[in-house]
Coordinates of all heavy atoms in Angstrom, one line a residue:
M1 N 0.8 -1.2 0.0 CA 0.0 0.0 0.0 C 0.9 1.2 0.0 O 1.9 1.3 0.7 CB -0.9 0.0 1.2 CG -1.8 1.2 1.3 SD -2.6 1.3 2.9 CE -4.2 0.7 2.6
T2 N 0.5 2.3 -0.7 CA 1.3 3.5 -0.8 C 0.5 4.7 -0.5 O -0.7 4.7 -0.6 CB 1.9 3.7 -2.3 OG1 0.8 3.8 -3.1 CG2 2.8 2.5 -2.7
D3 N 1.2 5.7 0.0 CA 0.5 7.0 0.3 C 0.9 8.0 -0.7 O 1.6 7.7 -1.7 CB 0.8 7.4 1.7 CG 2.2 7.6 2.0 OD1 3.1 7.3 1.2 OD2 2.5 8.1 3.1
A4 N 0.7 9.3 -0.4 CA 1.0 10.3 -1.4 C 2.5 10.5 -1.6 O 3.0 10.9 -2.6 CB 0.4 11.7 -1.0
V5 N 3.3 10.1 -0.6 CA 4.8 10.3 -0.7 C 5.5 9.1 -1.3 O 6.3 9.2 -2.1 CB 5.3 10.7 0.7 CG1 6.8 10.8 0.6 CG2 4.7 12.0 1.2
G6 N 5.1 7.9 -0.8 CA 5.8 6.7 -1.3 C 5.2 5.5 -0.5 O 4.2 5.5 0.0
S7 N 6.0 4.5 -0.5 CA 5.6 3.3 0.1 C 5.6 3.4 1.6 O 6.5 4.0 2.2 CB 6.5 2.1 -0.3 OG 6.2 1.0 0.4
I8 N 4.7 2.8 2.3 CA 4.6 2.7 3.7 C 5.7 1.8 4.3 O 6.4 2.1 5.3 CB 3.3 2.3 4.3 CG1 2.2 3.3 3.9 CG2 3.3 2.1 5.8 CD1 0.8 2.9 4.3
D9 N 6.0 0.8 3.6 CA 7.0 -0.2 4.0 C 8.4 0.3 3.9 O 9.3 -0.1 4.6 CB 6.8 -1.5 3.2 CG 5.5 -2.2 3.4 OD1 4.9 -2.0 4.5 OD2 5.0 -2.8 2.5
M10 N 8.7 1.2 2.9 CA 10.0 1.7 2.6 C 10.1 3.1 3.1 O 9.4 4.0 2.6 CB 10.3 1.6 1.1 CG 10.3 0.2 0.5 SD 11.7 -0.8 1.2 CE 13.0 0.1 0.5
P11 N 10.9 3.4 4.1 CA 11.0 4.8 4.5 C 11.7 5.7 3.5 O 12.5 5.2 2.7 CB 11.9 4.7 5.8 CG 12.6 3.5 5.7 CD 11.8 2.5 4.9
D12 N 11.4 7.0 3.6 CA 12.1 7.9 2.6 C 13.6 8.0 2.9 O 14.0 7.7 4.0 CB 11.5 9.3 2.8 CG 10.0 9.3 2.3 OD1 9.7 8.5 1.5 OD2 9.3 10.3 2.7
A13 N 14.3 8.4 1.9 CA 15.8 8.5 2.1 C 16.2 9.6 3.2 O 17.2 9.4 3.9 CB 16.4 8.9 0.8
Q14 N 15.4 10.7 3.3 CA 15.8 11.7 4.2 C 15.5 11.3 5.7 O 16.0 11.8 6.6 CB 15.1 13.0 3.9 CG 13.6 13.0 4.1 CD 12.9 13.5 2.9 OE1 13.5 13.6 1.8 NE2 11.6 13.8 3.0
D15 N 14.6 10.3 5.8 CA 14.2 9.9 7.2 C 15.2 9.0 7.8 O 15.3 8.8 9.0 CB 12.8 9.2 7.1 CG 11.7 10.1 6.8 OD1 11.9 11.3 7.0 OD2 10.7 9.6 6.3
E16 N 16.1 8.3 6.9 CA 17.1 7.4 7.4 C 18.3 8.2 7.9 O 18.8 9.0 7.1 CB 17.5 6.4 6.3 CG 16.4 5.5 5.9 CD 16.8 4.5 4.9 OE1 18.0 4.1 5.0 OE2 16.0 4.2 4.0
A17 N 18.8 7.8 9.0 CA 20.0 8.5 9.5 C 21.2 7.5 9.2 O 21.1 6.3 9.5 CB 19.9 8.7 11.0
P18 N 22.3 8.0 8.7 CA 23.4 7.1 8.4 C 24.0 6.6 9.7 O 24.5 7.4 10.5 CB 24.4 8.0 7.6 CG 24.0 9.4 7.9 CD 22.5 9.3 8.2
E19 N 24.0 5.3 9.9 CA 24.5 4.8 11.2 C 26.0 4.5 11.1 O 26.6 4.3 12.2 CB 23.7 3.5 11.5 CG 22.3 3.7 11.7 CD 21.5 2.4 11.8 OE1 22.2 1.3 12.0 OE2 20.3 2.4 11.8
S20 N 26.6 4.5 9.9 CA 28.0 4.2 9.8 C 28.9 5.4 10.2 O 30.0 5.2 10.6 CB 28.3 3.7 8.4 OG 28.1 4.8 7.5
K21 N 28.4 6.6 10.2 CA 29.1 7.8 10.5 C 29.1 8.1 12.0 O 28.0 8.2 12.5 CB 28.6 9.0 9.7 CG 29.4 10.2 9.8 CD 28.9 11.3 8.9 CE 29.8 12.5 8.9 NZ 29.2 13.6 8.1
K22 N 30.3 8.1 12.6 CA 30.4 8.4 14.0 C 30.6 9.9 14.2 O 31.4 10.5 13.5 CB 31.5 7.6 14.7 CG 31.3 6.1 14.7 CD 32.4 5.4 15.3 CE 32.2 3.9 15.3 NZ 33.3 3.2 16.0
T23 N 29.9 10.5 15.2 CA 30.2 11.9 15.5 C 31.2 12.0 16.6 O 31.1 11.2 17.6 CB 28.8 12.5 15.9 OG1 28.3 11.9 17.0 CG2 27.8 12.5 14.8
R24 N 32.1 12.9 16.5 CA 33.1 13.1 17.5 C 32.6 14.1 18.5 O 32.0 15.1 18.2 CB 34.3 13.7 16.8 CG 35.6 13.2 17.4 CD 36.8 13.7 16.7 NE 36.6 14.3 15.4 CZ 37.4 15.1 14.8 NH1 38.5 15.4 15.4 NH2 37.2 15.6 13.7
K25 N 32.8 13.8 19.8 CA 32.4 14.7 20.8 C 33.4 15.9 20.9 O 34.6 15.6 21.1 CB 32.3 14.0 22.1 CG 31.6 14.8 23.2 CD 31.4 14.0 24.4 CE 30.7 14.8 25.5 NZ 30.5 14.0 26.7
G26 N 32.9 17.1 20.8 CA 33.8 18.3 21.0 C 34.3 18.8 19.7 O 34.9 19.9 19.7
G27 N 34.2 18.1 18.6 CA 34.7 18.6 17.4 C 36.2 18.7 17.4 O 36.9 17.9 17.9
K28 N 36.7 19.8 16.8 CA 38.2 20.0 16.7 C 38.8 20.4 18.0 O 40.0 20.2 18.2 CB 38.5 21.1 15.6 CG 38.2 20.7 14.2 CD 38.5 21.9 13.3 CE 38.2 21.5 11.9 NZ 38.5 22.6 11.0
R29 N 38.0 20.9 18.9 CA 38.6 21.4 20.2 C 39.0 20.2 21.1 O 39.8 20.4 22.0 CB 37.5 22.2 20.9 CG 37.3 23.5 20.3 CD 36.4 24.4 21.1 NE 36.0 25.5 20.4 CZ 35.2 26.4 20.9 NH1 34.7 26.3 22.1 NH2 34.8 27.5 20.2
A30 N 38.4 19.0 20.8 CA 38.7 17.9 21.7 C 40.1 17.5 21.6 O 40.7 16.9 22.5 CB 37.8 16.7 21.4
K31 N 40.8 17.8 20.4 CA 42.2 17.4 20.2 C 43.1 18.2 21.0 O 44.2 17.8 21.4 CB 42.5 17.5 18.7 CG 41.8 16.5 17.9 CD 42.3 16.7 16.4 CE 41.7 15.7 15.5 NZ 42.2 15.9 14.1
K32 N 42.8 19.5 21.1 CA 43.8 20.5 21.7 C 43.6 20.6 23.2 O 42.5 20.5 23.7 CB 43.6 21.9 21.0 CG 43.8 21.8 19.6 CD 43.6 23.2 19.0 CE 43.8 23.2 17.5 NZ 43.5 24.5 16.9
G33 N 44.7 20.9 23.9 CA 44.7 21.1 25.3 C 44.3 22.6 25.6 O 44.2 23.4 24.7
P34 N 44.2 22.9 26.8 CA 43.8 24.3 27.2 C 44.8 25.3 26.8 O 44.5 26.4 26.5 CB 43.5 24.2 28.7 CG 44.3 23.0 29.2 CD 44.3 22.1 28.0
F35 N 46.1 25.0 26.9 CA 47.1 26.0 26.6 C 47.2 26.2 25.1 O 47.4 27.4 24.6 CB 48.5 25.5 27.1 CG 48.6 25.5 28.6 CD1 48.7 24.3 29.3 CD2 48.5 26.7 29.3 CE1 48.8 24.3 30.7 CE2 48.6 26.7 30.7 CZ 48.7 25.5 31.4
K36 N 47.0 25.2 24.3 CA 47.0 25.4 22.8 C 45.7 26.2 22.4 O 45.8 27.0 21.5 CB 47.0 24.1 22.1 CG 48.3 23.4 22.2 CD 48.3 22.1 21.3 CE 49.7 21.5 21.3 NZ 49.7 20.3 20.5
R37 N 44.6 26.0 23.1 CA 43.4 26.8 22.8 C 43.6 28.2 23.2 O 43.2 29.1 22.5 CB 42.2 26.2 23.5 CG 41.7 24.9 22.8 CD 40.4 24.5 23.3 NE 40.7 23.9 24.6 CZ 39.8 23.7 25.6 NH1 38.6 24.0 25.4 NH2 40.1 23.1 26.7
L38 N 44.3 28.5 24.3 CA 44.5 29.8 24.7 C 45.5 30.5 23.8 O 45.3 31.7 23.4 CB 45.1 29.8 26.2 CG 45.2 31.1 26.9 CD1 43.9 31.8 27.1 CD2 45.9 31.0 28.2
A39 N 46.5 29.8 23.3 CA 47.5 30.4 22.4 C 46.8 30.7 21.1 O 47.0 31.8 20.5 CB 48.6 29.4 22.1
L40 N 45.9 29.8 20.6 CA 45.1 30.1 19.4 C 44.2 31.3 19.6 O 44.1 32.2 18.7 CB 44.2 28.9 19.1 CG 43.3 29.1 17.9 CD1 44.0 29.3 16.6 CD2 42.3 27.9 17.8
F41 N 43.6 31.5 20.7 CA 42.8 32.6 21.0 C 43.6 33.9 20.9 O 43.1 34.9 20.3 CB 42.2 32.5 22.4 CG 41.3 33.6 22.9 CD1 40.1 33.9 22.3 CD2 41.8 34.5 23.9 CE1 39.4 35.0 22.7 CE2 41.0 35.5 24.3 CZ 39.8 35.8 23.7
Y42 N 44.8 34.0 21.5 CA 45.6 35.2 21.5 C 46.1 35.4 20.0 O 46.2 36.6 19.6 CB 46.7 35.1 22.4 CG 46.3 35.4 23.9 CD1 46.4 34.4 24.8 CD2 45.7 36.6 24.2 CE1 46.0 34.6 26.1 CE2 45.3 36.8 25.5 CZ 45.4 35.9 26.4 OH 44.9 36.1 27.7
R43 N 46.4 34.4 19.3 CA 46.8 34.6 17.9 C 45.7 35.2 17.1 O 45.9 36.1 16.2 CB 47.3 33.3 17.3 CG 48.7 32.9 17.6 CD 49.2 31.8 16.7 NE 48.3 30.6 16.6 CZ 48.4 29.5 17.4 NH1 49.3 29.5 18.3 NH2 47.5 28.5 17.2
Q44 N 44.4 34.7 17.4 CA 43.3 35.3 16.7 C 43.0 36.8 17.0 O 42.6 37.6 16.2 CB 42.0 34.4 16.9 CG 42.1 33.1 16.3 CD 40.9 32.2 16.7 OE1 40.2 32.5 17.7 NE2 40.7 31.1 15.9
I45 N 43.3 37.1 18.3 CA 43.1 38.5 18.7 C 44.1 39.4 18.0 O 43.8 40.4 17.5 CB 43.4 38.6 20.3 CG1 42.2 38.0 21.0 CG2 43.6 40.1 20.7 CD1 42.4 38.0 22.5
V46 N 45.4 38.9 17.9 CA 46.4 39.7 17.2 C 46.1 39.9 15.7 O 46.2 40.9 15.1 CB 47.8 39.1 17.4 CG1 48.8 39.7 16.5 CG2 48.2 39.2 18.9
A47 N 45.6 38.8 15.1 CA 45.2 38.8 13.7 C 44.0 39.8 13.5 O 44.0 40.6 12.5 CB 44.8 37.4 13.2
E48 N 43.1 39.9 14.4 CA 42.0 40.8 14.3 C 42.4 42.2 14.5 O 42.0 43.2 13.8 CB 40.8 40.5 15.3 CG 40.0 39.2 14.9 CD 39.3 39.4 13.6 OE1 38.8 40.5 13.3 OE2 39.3 38.4 12.8
L49 N 43.3 42.5 15.4 CA 43.8 43.8 15.7 C 44.6 44.3 14.5 O 44.7 45.5 14.3 CB 44.7 43.9 16.9 CG 43.9 43.8 18.2 CD1 44.8 43.7 19.4 CD2 43.0 45.0 18.3
R50 N 45.3 43.4 13.7 CA 46.0 43.9 12.5 C 45.0 44.3 11.4 O 45.4 45.1 10.6 CB 46.9 42.7 12.0 CG 48.1 42.5 12.8 CD 49.0 41.5 12.2 NE 50.2 41.3 13.1 CZ 50.8 40.2 13.3 NH1 50.3 39.1 12.7 NH2 51.8 40.1 14.1
K51 N 43.8 43.9 11.5 CA 42.8 44.3 10.5 C 42.2 45.7 10.8 O 41.6 46.3 9.9 CB 41.7 43.3 10.4 CG 42.1 41.9 9.9 CD 40.9 41.0 10.0 CE 41.3 39.5 9.7 NZ 40.1 38.7 9.8
V52 N 42.4 46.1 12.0 CA 41.8 47.4 12.4 C 42.4 48.6 11.7 O 43.7 48.6 11.6 CB 41.9 47.6 13.9 CG1 41.4 49.0 14.3 CG2 41.1 46.5 14.7
V53 N 41.6 49.5 11.2 CA 42.1 50.7 10.6 C 42.2 51.8 11.7 O 41.2 52.3 12.1 CB 41.2 51.2 9.4 CG1 41.8 52.4 8.8 CG2 41.1 50.1 8.4
W54 N 43.4 52.0 12.1 CA 43.6 53.0 13.2 C 43.5 54.4 12.7 O 44.1 54.7 11.6 CB 44.9 52.7 13.9 CG 44.9 51.4 14.6 CD1 45.5 50.2 14.1 CD2 44.3 51.0 15.8 NE1 45.3 49.2 14.9 CE2 44.6 49.6 16.0 CE3 43.6 51.6 16.8 CZ2 44.2 48.9 17.1 CZ3 43.2 50.9 17.9 CH2 43.5 49.6 18.0
P55 N 42.9 55.3 13.4 CA 42.9 56.7 12.9 C 44.2 57.4 13.1 O 45.0 57.1 13.9 CB 41.8 57.4 13.9 CG 41.9 56.6 15.1 CD 42.2 55.2 14.7
T56 N 44.5 58.4 12.2 CA 45.7 59.2 12.3 C 45.6 60.1 13.5 O 44.5 60.3 14.1 CB 45.9 59.9 11.0 OG1 44.9 60.9 10.8 CG2 46.0 59.0 9.8
R57 N 46.7 60.8 13.8 CA 46.6 61.7 14.9 C 45.7 62.9 14.6 O 44.9 63.3 15.5 CB 48.0 62.3 15.2 CG 48.1 63.2 16.4 CD 49.5 63.6 16.7 NE 50.3 62.5 17.1 CZ 50.4 62.1 18.4 NH1 49.7 62.7 19.3 NH2 51.2 61.1 18.7
S58 N 45.6 63.4 13.4 CA 44.7 64.5 13.1 C 43.2 64.0 13.2 O 42.4 64.8 13.7 CB 45.0 65.1 11.7 OG 44.8 64.1 10.7
Q59 N 43.0 62.8 12.7 CA 41.6 62.3 12.8 C 41.2 62.1 14.3 O 40.1 62.4 14.7 CB 41.5 61.0 12.1 CG 41.5 61.0 10.6 CD 41.6 59.7 9.9 OE1 42.0 58.7 10.5 NE2 41.1 59.6 8.7
L60 N 42.1 61.6 15.1 CA 41.8 61.4 16.5 C 41.6 62.7 17.2 O 40.7 62.8 18.0 CB 43.0 60.7 17.1 CG 42.8 60.2 18.5 CD1 41.7 59.2 18.6 CD2 44.1 59.6 19.1
T61 N 42.4 63.7 16.8 CA 42.1 65.1 17.4 C 40.8 65.6 17.0 O 40.0 66.2 17.8 CB 43.3 66.0 17.0 OG1 44.5 65.5 17.3 CG2 43.1 67.4 17.6
T62 N 40.4 65.4 15.7 CA 39.1 65.9 15.3 C 38.0 65.2 16.0 O 37.0 65.8 16.4 CB 39.0 65.7 13.7 OG1 40.1 66.4 13.1 CG2 37.7 66.2 13.2
Y63 N 38.1 63.9 16.0 CA 37.0 63.1 16.7 C 36.9 63.5 18.2 O 35.8 63.6 18.7 CB 37.3 61.6 16.6 CG 37.3 61.1 15.2 CD1 38.0 59.9 14.9 CD2 36.6 61.7 14.1 CE1 38.0 59.4 13.6 CE2 36.7 61.2 12.9 CZ 37.4 60.0 12.6 OH 37.4 59.5 11.3
T64 N 38.0 63.6 18.8 CA 38.0 64.0 20.3 C 37.3 65.4 20.5 O 36.5 65.6 21.4 CB 39.4 64.0 20.8 OG1 40.0 62.7 20.6 CG2 39.4 64.3 22.3
T65 N 37.7 66.3 19.6 CA 37.1 67.7 19.7 C 35.6 67.6 19.4 O 34.9 68.3 20.2 CB 37.8 68.6 18.7 OG1 39.2 68.6 18.9 CG2 37.3 70.0 18.8
V66 N 35.2 66.9 18.5 CA 33.7 66.8 18.2 C 33.0 66.2 19.4 O 31.9 66.7 19.8 CB 33.5 65.9 16.9 CG1 32.0 65.6 16.8 CG2 34.0 66.7 15.7
V67 N 33.6 65.2 20.0 CA 32.9 64.5 21.1 C 32.8 65.5 22.3 O 31.8 65.6 23.0 CB 33.6 63.2 21.5 CG1 33.1 62.7 22.9 CG2 33.4 62.2 20.5
I68 N 33.9 66.2 22.6 CA 33.9 67.2 23.7 C 32.9 68.3 23.5 O 32.2 68.7 24.4 CB 35.4 67.7 24.0 CG1 36.2 66.6 24.5 CG2 35.3 68.9 24.9 CD1 37.7 66.9 24.7
V69 N 32.9 68.8 22.3 CA 31.9 69.9 22.0 C 30.5 69.4 22.1 O 29.6 70.1 22.7 CB 32.2 70.5 20.5 CG1 31.1 71.4 20.1 CG2 33.5 71.3 20.5
F70 N 30.2 68.2 21.6 CA 28.9 67.6 21.7 C 28.5 67.5 23.2 O 27.4 67.8 23.6 CB 28.8 66.3 21.0 CG 27.5 65.6 21.1 CD1 26.4 66.1 20.4 CD2 27.3 64.6 22.0 CE1 25.2 65.4 20.5 CE2 26.1 63.9 22.1 CZ 25.0 64.4 21.4
V71 N 29.4 67.0 24.0 CA 29.1 66.8 25.4 C 28.9 68.1 26.1 O 27.9 68.2 26.9 CB 30.3 66.0 26.1 CG1 30.1 66.0 27.6 CG2 30.3 64.5 25.6
V72 N 29.6 69.1 25.8 CA 29.4 70.4 26.4 C 28.1 71.0 26.0 O 27.3 71.6 26.8 CB 30.6 71.4 26.0 CG1 30.2 72.8 26.4 CG2 31.9 71.0 26.7
I73 N 27.7 70.9 24.7 CA 26.4 71.3 24.3 C 25.3 70.6 25.0 O 24.3 71.2 25.4 CB 26.3 71.2 22.7 CG1 27.2 72.2 22.0 CG2 24.8 71.4 22.3 CD1 27.3 72.0 20.5
M74 N 25.4 69.3 25.1 CA 24.4 68.5 25.8 C 24.3 68.9 27.3 O 23.2 68.9 27.9 CB 24.6 67.0 25.7 CG 24.5 66.5 24.3 SD 22.9 66.9 23.5 CE 21.7 66.0 24.5
I75 N 25.4 69.2 27.9 CA 25.4 69.6 29.3 C 24.7 70.9 29.5 O 23.8 71.1 30.4 CB 26.8 69.7 29.9 CG1 27.4 68.3 30.1 CG2 26.9 70.5 31.2 CD1 28.9 68.3 30.5
G76 N 24.9 71.8 28.5 CA 24.2 73.1 28.5 C 22.7 73.0 28.3 O 21.9 73.6 29.0
L77 N 22.4 72.1 27.4 CA 20.9 71.9 27.1 C 20.2 71.3 28.3 O 19.2 71.8 28.7 CB 20.8 70.9 25.9 CG 19.4 70.6 25.5 CD1 18.7 71.9 24.9 CD2 19.4 69.5 24.4
V78 N 20.8 70.3 29.0 CA 20.2 69.7 30.1 C 20.2 70.7 31.3 O 19.2 70.8 32.0 CB 21.0 68.4 30.6 CG1 20.6 67.9 31.9 CG2 20.8 67.3 29.5
T79 N 21.2 71.5 31.4 CA 21.2 72.6 32.5 C 20.1 73.6 32.3 O 19.4 73.9 33.2 CB 22.6 73.3 32.5 OG1 23.6 72.3 32.7 CG2 22.6 74.3 33.6
V80 N 19.9 74.0 31.0 CA 18.8 75.0 30.7 C 17.4 74.4 31.0 O 16.6 75.0 31.6 CB 18.9 75.5 29.3 CG1 17.7 76.2 28.8 CG2 20.1 76.4 29.1
I81 N 17.2 73.1 30.6 CA 16.0 72.4 30.8 C 15.7 72.2 32.3 O 14.6 72.5 32.8 CB 15.9 71.1 30.1 CG1 15.9 71.4 28.5 CG2 14.7 70.3 30.5 CD1 16.0 70.1 27.7
D82 N 16.8 71.9 33.0 CA 16.6 71.7 34.5 C 16.3 73.0 35.2 O 15.4 73.0 36.1 CB 17.9 71.1 35.0 CG 17.8 70.8 36.5 OD1 16.8 70.1 36.9 OD2 18.8 71.1 37.2
F83 N 17.0 74.1 34.8 CA 16.7 75.4 35.4 C 15.3 75.8 35.1 O 14.6 76.3 35.9 CB 17.7 76.4 34.8 CG 17.6 77.7 35.4 CD1 18.0 78.0 36.7 CD2 17.1 78.8 34.7 CE1 17.9 79.2 37.3 CE2 16.9 80.1 35.3 CZ 17.3 80.3 36.6
G84 N 14.9 75.6 33.8 CA 13.5 76.0 33.5 C 12.4 75.2 34.2 O 11.4 75.7 34.7
L85 N 12.7 73.9 34.4 CA 11.7 73.0 35.1 C 11.7 73.4 36.6 O 10.7 73.4 37.3 CB 12.0 71.6 34.9 CG 11.7 71.0 33.5 CD1 12.2 69.5 33.5 CD2 10.2 71.1 33.2
D86 N 12.9 73.8 37.1 CA 13.0 74.2 38.5 C 12.1 75.5 38.7 O 11.4 75.6 39.7 CB 14.4 74.5 38.9 CG 14.6 74.9 40.3 OD1 14.0 74.3 41.2 OD2 15.3 75.9 40.5
K87 N 12.3 76.5 37.8 CA 11.5 77.7 37.9 C 10.0 77.4 37.8 O 9.2 78.0 38.5 CB 12.0 78.7 36.9 CG 13.3 79.3 37.1 CD 13.3 80.1 38.4 CE 14.7 80.7 38.6 NZ 14.8 81.5 39.9
A88 N 9.7 76.6 36.9 CA 8.2 76.2 36.6 C 7.7 75.5 37.9 O 6.5 75.8 38.3 CB 8.1 75.3 35.4
A89 N 8.4 74.6 38.5 CA 7.9 73.9 39.7 C 7.8 74.9 40.8 O 6.8 74.8 41.6 CB 8.9 72.8 40.1
K90 N 8.7 75.9 41.0 CA 8.6 76.9 42.1 C 7.4 77.8 41.8 O 6.8 78.2 42.8 CB 9.9 77.7 42.2 CG 11.0 76.9 42.8 CD 12.3 77.8 43.0 CE 13.4 76.9 43.6 NZ 14.6 77.7 43.7
Y91 N 7.2 78.1 40.6 CA 6.0 79.0 40.2 C 4.7 78.3 40.5 O 3.8 78.9 41.1 CB 6.1 79.4 38.8 CG 4.9 80.2 38.3 CD1 4.9 81.6 38.7 CD2 3.9 79.7 37.6 CE1 3.8 82.4 38.3 CE2 2.8 80.5 37.2 CZ 2.8 81.8 37.5 OH 1.7 82.6 37.2
V92 N 4.6 77.0 40.2 CA 3.4 76.2 40.4 C 3.1 75.9 41.8 O 2.0 76.0 42.4 CB 3.3 75.0 39.5 CG1 2.2 74.1 39.8 CG2 3.3 75.3 38.0
F93 N 4.2 75.4 42.5 CA 4.0 74.9 43.9 C 4.4 75.9 44.9 O 4.4 75.6 46.1 CB 4.8 73.6 44.0 CG 4.3 72.5 43.2 CD1 5.1 72.0 42.1 CD2 3.0 72.0 43.3 CE1 4.6 71.0 41.3 CE2 2.6 71.0 42.5 CZ 3.4 70.5 41.5
G94 N 4.8 77.1 44.6 CA 5.0 78.1 45.5 C 6.3 78.4 46.0 O 6.6 79.0 46.9

């Protein structure tokens, strides 16, 4: 007897799991000791840091100036809003 997919007696190919293939616990990490894994980690860190595009001194100065000016403007804005709300609260509540 068959259904819409295939025979009931014969399972589909995707339903069968290959029993001959053994899975290794831990993958590639199981082979290496903790010191080799730590050394690999630091080598990967150094490799990633070499990919970083570091800013020049003038770019760094420009970025720092922009950040400081922005922070000063935000401090002024918050101070003005705080002062205004303080005056409004004193006016309303006496």
Side-chain angles (χ1 to χ4, degrees):
M1 181 191 257
T2 61
D3 59 355
V5 176
S7 173
I8 293 175
D9 297 330
M10 298 293 291
D12 292 337
Q14 67 229 18
D15 293 338
E16 293 182 37
E19 296 175 12
S20 62
K21 189 175 184 181
K22 293 182 181 179
T23 57
R24 212 177 349 159
K25 189 174 183 181
K28 292 182 180 179
R29 292 185 188 180
K31 291 181 179 180
K32 298 179 182 178
F35 293 113
K36 287 188 178 181
R37 284 187 286 161
L38 190 62
L40 174 65
F41 177 69
Y42 284 118
R43 280 196 308 269
Q44 289 174 345
I45 288 174
V46 170
E48 286 297 321
L49 285 175
R50 285 187 180 141
K51 295 178 188 177
V52 173
V53 178
W54 297 99
T56 63
R57 183 174 295 272
S58 64
Q59 289 174 333
L60 189 62
T61 304
T62 303
Y63 297 156
T64 304
T65 305
V66 167
V67 168
I68 290 173
V69 168
F70 177 77
V71 168
V72 167
I73 289 171
M74 291 308 295
I75 288 172
L77 182 65
V78 169
T79 302
V80 167
I81 292 172
D82 184 48
F83 184 73
L85 289 175
D86 180 49
K87 290 293 183 182
K90 284 183 181 177
Y91 178 75
V92 171
F93 297 113

